Amino acid sequence: MKNTITPDGNKITGIFCNFFGHHFVVSKKVTEHIKEYKCVHCQKQVTTDERGKLSPLTAKLKEINKTLEDMYHRRNRRRAVGHPERKQVA
């Protein structure tokens, strides 16, 4: 039997996901609240959208996530290096 790979992964594992649902694991942490997930069976990729729901990972969302990740790291790097947290005076 020929093993065919589809954009969502293998046909056999795709059938498994159709019956039992996907088993998503975090593949990339973009920010504290936004993550990219990948199904361990069929390799389908999803991400959290602006409402916190899972959405299919499209090229547009990949670009948005990359930009958010860059901004997030730049901001945190700047805080850690030169700008310590301000102390509040009571």
Side-chain angles (χ1 to χ4, degrees):
M1 180 177 197
K2 186 178 177 183
N3 217 2
T4 307
I5 301 294
T6 62
D8 292 332
N10 179 316
K11 280 187 178 180
I12 302 286
T13 57
I15 293 170
F16 178 85
C17 290
N18 284 338
F19 285 124
F20 300 109
H22 296 285
H23 181 191
F24 290 117
V25 293
V26 176
S27 61
K28 184 176 182 182
K29 185 176 175 185
V30 179
T31 67
E32 290 292 324
H33 303 290
I34 299 174
K35 296 172 183 64
E36 292 179 2
Y37 301 91
K38 183 184 256 187
C39 178
V40 295
H41 301 293
C42 69
Q43 308 305 311
K44 180 177 181 175
Q45 294 180 323
V46 295
T47 187
T48 50
D49 62 8
E50 65 276 359
R51 293 188 179 109
K53 307 278 185 189
L54 292 180
S55 307
L57 188 61
T58 61
K60 184 177 180 179
L61 285 175
K62 279 185 184 182
E63 186 178 336
I64 291 169
N65 284 352
K66 177 65 176 151
T67 304
L68 281 173
E69 182 181 24
D70 291 343
M71 290 172 54
Y72 178 76
H73 286 302
R74 222 178 289 140
R75 181 178 179 189
N76 285 339
R77 199 176 315 128
R78 194 175 338 130
R79 274 189 186 165
V81 173
H83 301 88
E85 296 286 330
R86 293 183 181 170
K87 294 181 181 177
Q88 292 186 355
V89 178

